[in-house]
Amino acid sequence: MEKITGAEAMMRALVHEGVDVLFGYPGGAIMPTYDALYDYTDKLHHVFVRHEQGAVHAAQGYARVSGKVGCVIVTSGPGATNTVTGIADAMADSTPLVVICGQVGVSMLGTDAFQEVDVVGVTSPVTKWSYQIRRAEDVAWAVSRAFYIARSGRPGPVVLDFAKNAQTGLVDFEPKTVDFIRSYEPYPQIDCGDVKKAAGMINDSVKPFALIGQGVELGNASKEVKEFLEKAQIPFGTTMLGLSALPTEHPLNMGMLGMHGNLGPNVMTNQCDLLIAIGMRFDDRVTGNLNTYAKQAKIIHFDIDAAEFNKNVTVDLAVHGDCKDTIPAVTEYLDDAKRDSWIASFKPYEEKEYNKVIKKAVEPADGPLLMGEVVRKVSELSNNEAVLVTDVGQNQLFGCRYFKYTRPRSVVTSGGIGTMGFGLPAAIGATFGAPERTVCVFCGDGGLQMTMQELGTIMEENAPVKIILLNNNFLGNVRQWQAMFFDHRYSFTKMVNPDYELIAKAYNIPARTVIERKDLDEAIRDMLGTPGPYLLQCAVMEEDNVLPMTPPGADVDKMLLEI
């Protein structure tokens, strides 16, 4: 066999795994690998980001819309530590990533060498697997194992710490395929008894209600879950990350769950007689006060990760397995049901929320622009087919509430740890993961400035990111909490902002600012009709509030419709 370096072996291993896009930033300890990449640019498109955190968020956006593993390559020391926020975000939101970090040579480990950091030690708590490659001979095996772990079972991030001597050492390269790891069972065998018991509980139920999480999309099980719900006529609500698992306009879709979700799903959580959780983890933002959460109901939990069972909410039946397999197995035993009166009971809450909240948010008669109306207009003028990417804060909550979805894998947002700065780089990655789709990212003036340097990446790649800046001159979500719970004491949430149009111009990105409602439709059409990237700044009401809202620690059905 031909002897090649470990760095070139890395390139060949990535190609063998089907990688087509890398998001990265070069540096000293990873330079041999970047030198090898020089000869592989016909197979591996490298997106040169402006900060390592941006590389990970971009890889997340790519993975979330494509269903593939996102791949990142950075140097050692600060290059590696700059990825930790994104890795933790990916772990919380079950996003498959492989992050390759340079490292000093093995002989230098433990000497506090220049840009040496214990990457495995730092990242182990926020990864599925973290491993140091110390020999060129281990590259093919480590890469195959990393991708297998990242994509299988409940997906998540993996880190490979690539020592410099392993990059420069010579090896007889032979690609590896890892599809089995002792003691790791990503796809557990289905218990037929649990399947039949679940079907029996559903058939006996009068008022079942389903909670649909991102696990449905991660398992590519939208079709199976739709058939399950329709056969048994089960109304459902979705988590924020599960919003696009089924179409917004599906007649059984009662809306979003949680703190800023819809009134009906939250109220009916505490009125149903059977709660069916599918691919969700009973996050505190969904459950509110656990002492009063769904105490009247029996609970079935479908999940691929056994660690989620009884972690937050005690359930009556845990069905362990991939929902793409478990849900159709249960569907086979379900009775064809008619639950018209139960489904109709959601209607009064829907109407109440519409009249008190939604109508004011998306159909204002006068006054300043509102975030909700901007979001709804962008959704409608893109035929409700665009990919929604959000940053974190009020832009995220208004975005998720008022965007509409017709296709799976249409929501890219930071759910578990709520990372400000996530939106812009994630949208860049989404344009590579779904190049045929329109990608719209909603940002606040706070979050945009956290990773605004990635406008340089957009300029270099001409990435067709449609940036909608909802500018209220505040850290809006923190300001809302300060108004509600801290007597309007706005401590360091008012922002003095730059001229965003001038900044966009510096990066050769077309930009426009909208202040008046009469100009909104035309501006959005201009944005959507312009090839390549675009920044649309909307000057929105400064002290707008996201409603409804379940106050932190309150009962999930005790939602505030006004403040």
Side-chain angles (χ1 to χ4, degrees):
M1 287 186 183
E2 174 193 8
K3 292 274 188 182
I4 61 172
T5 65
E8 185 173 354
M10 175 64 73
M11 296 300 105
R12 293 192 186 184
L14 293 178
V15 171
H16 179 68
E17 290 296 330
V19 175
D20 54 1
V21 181
L22 295 168
F23 301 91
Y25 202 102
I30 198 66
M31 209 173 294
T33 297
Y34 266 87
D35 184 65
L37 177 59
Y38 190 86
D39 295 321
Y40 280 80
T41 53
D42 58 331
K43 297 182 178 69
L44 298 167
H45 181 93
H46 179 269
V47 179
F48 180 22
V49 298
R50 298 304 185 260
H51 190 280
E52 291 89 356
Q53 181 179 344
V56 186
H57 292 329
Q60 288 177 272
Y62 171 89
R64 294 270 283 273
V65 299
S66 69
K68 300 177 182 178
V69 178
C71 194
V72 174
I73 182 168
V74 298
T75 194
S76 65
T81 58
N82 282 343
T83 67
V84 173
T85 295
I87 292 169
D89 194 290
M91 188 67 177
D93 289 348
S94 303
T95 305
L97 300 181
V98 171
V99 179
I100 301 158
C101 303
Q103 182 58 278
V104 301
V106 168
S107 64
M108 302 291 287
L109 289 172
T111 67
D112 293 329
F114 178 67
Q115 293 191 334
E116 179 195 358
V117 168
D118 180 4
V119 173
V120 172
V122 168
T123 61
S124 288
V126 289
T127 54
K128 286 186 73 176
W129 186 50
S130 192
Y131 179 77
Q132 188 173 78
I133 303 175
R134 295 187 170 206
R135 306 183 310 156
E137 293 93 324
D138 296 331
V139 170
W141 169 85
V143 170
S144 183
R145 183 182 173 103
F147 276 83
Y148 174 63
I149 291 172
R151 67 165 66 99
S152 61
R154 180 178 181 173
V158 169
V159 167
L160 294 177
D161 191 34
F162 199 8
K164 199 165 187 178
N165 64 284
Q167 298 174 53
T168 58
L170 297 178
V171 62
D172 293 325
F173 177 77
E174 182 179 353
K176 305 289 185 184
T177 299
V178 172
D179 56 12
F180 171 78
I181 298 172
R182 189 176 62 183
S183 78
Y184 175 57
E185 189 179 8
Y187 302 105
Q189 189 171 356
I190 299 173
D191 186 318
C192 294
D194 288 343
V195 166
K196 292 178 180 179
K197 188 181 296 183
M201 292 172 69
I202 295 168
N203 289 336
D204 291 342
S205 172
V206 176
K207 299 187 296 182
F209 182 49
L211 314 180
I212 306 302
Q214 188 193 197
V216 173
E217 287 189 315
L218 295 174
N220 298 308
S222 293
K223 176 177 178 289
E224 290 79 4
V225 170
K226 178 174 177 285
E227 291 172 353
F228 164 84
L229 297 168
E230 289 176 345
K231 184 175 183 180
Q233 283 293 285
I234 302 171
F236 68 91
T238 66
T239 66
M240 182 181 286
L241 294 182
L243 276 167
S244 64
L246 292 164
T248 304
E249 301 297 338
H250 192 287
L252 294 173
N253 191 343
M254 301 302 158
M256 188 170 78
L257 302 158
M259 177 177 280
H260 289 288
N262 294 108
L263 180 62
N266 279 0
V267 170
M268 291 312 200
T269 295
N270 279 2
Q271 292 188 19
C272 65
D273 63 9
L274 179 65
L275 200 64
I276 307 162
I278 307 174
M280 56 87 71
R281 58 188 179 87
F282 290 111
D283 176 76
D284 62 285
R285 285 297 194 263
V286 167
T287 64
N289 181 7
L290 285 171
N291 294 323
T292 60
Y293 182 76
K295 293 301 180 184
Q296 81 295 339
K298 292 183 178 179
I299 301 176
I300 305 174
H301 192 179
F302 292 86
D303 210 285
I304 199 167
D305 185 356
E308 293 299 338
F309 296 140
N310 301 308
K311 183 179 78 174
N312 296 325
V313 173
T314 301
V315 303
D316 296 276
L317 177 63
V319 183
H320 190 201
D322 189 335
C323 61
K324 192 171 182 66
D325 300 322
T326 57
I327 292 297
V330 172
T331 303
E332 186 178 340
Y333 294 100
L334 292 180
D335 297 334
D336 291 318
K338 290 289 184 184
R339 294 191 167 95
D340 295 344
S341 60
W342 167 234
I343 294 167
S345 68
F346 285 78
K347 192 69 175 176
Y349 298 103
E350 180 183 328
E351 292 174 350
K352 183 177 182 181
E353 182 182 352
Y354 176 78
N355 290 324
K356 285 188 170 290
V357 178
I358 297 174
K359 186 175 182 179
K360 298 174 185 177
V362 301
E363 302 170 12
D366 51 28
L369 281 174
L370 300 179
M371 292 189 229
E373 69 174 312
V374 175
V375 170
R376 180 56 57 86
K377 283 287 186 182
V378 173
S379 182
E380 289 174 348
L381 292 176
S382 59
N383 298 316
N384 301 321
E385 293 179 348
V387 173
L388 169 74
V389 184
T390 81
D391 206 83
V392 167
Q394 287 185 321
N395 65 88
Q396 175 186 42
L397 302 169
F398 277 113
C400 289
R401 276 185 58 84
Y402 295 121
F403 217 75
K404 293 187 177 182
Y405 317 96
T406 56
R407 300 170 58 177
R409 296 191 178 275
S410 293
V411 177
V412 181
T413 192
S414 172
I417 70 170
T419 304
M420 287 181 68
F422 172 89
L424 189 65
I428 296 170
T431 66
F432 286 94
E436 76 287 356
R437 301 187 66 184
T438 300
V439 176
C440 296
V441 57
F442 290 87
C443 297
D445 40 313
L448 179 62
Q449 292 186 76
M450 285 196 168
T451 52
M452 194 162 59
Q453 70 276 357
E454 298 309 331
L455 292 172
T457 308
I458 292 175
M459 176 178 65
E460 182 164 326
E461 294 287 344
N462 196 34
V465 178
K466 309 304 183 186
I467 307 162
I468 303 96
L469 171 60
L470 301 174
N471 189 349
N472 59 5
N473 297 304
F474 269 104
L475 296 179
N477 209 43
V478 183
R479 182 214 56 77
Q480 179 172 335
W481 282 50
Q482 287 174 335
M484 295 177 67
F485 310 119
F486 294 90
D487 195 27
H488 292 85
R489 289 161 59 88
Y490 294 158
S491 180
F492 298 99
T493 47
K494 180 74 173 175
M495 300 201 69
V496 177
N497 281 313
D499 187 327
Y500 290 104
E501 278 198 67
L502 280 178
I503 290 171
K505 183 179 180 181
Y507 287 100
N508 296 325
I509 297 172
R512 178 174 177 175
T513 297
V514 174
I515 298 173
E516 297 186 22
R517 183 165 289 109
K518 64 182 177 61
D519 300 322
L520 183 59
D521 282 29
E522 179 200 348
I524 293 171
R525 289 191 177 97
D526 186 32
M527 174 187 71
L528 295 174
T530 300
Y534 195 103
L535 187 146
L536 176 62
Q537 177 177 215
C538 297
V540 296
M541 180 178 176
E542 283 198 347
E543 297 192 39
D544 197 3
N545 293 313
V546 187
L547 293 168
M549 180 179 181
T550 302
D555 299 350
V556 70
D557 55 352
K558 298 297 189 295
M559 299 196 82
L560 301 176
L561 298 181
E562 55 190 6
I563 299 175

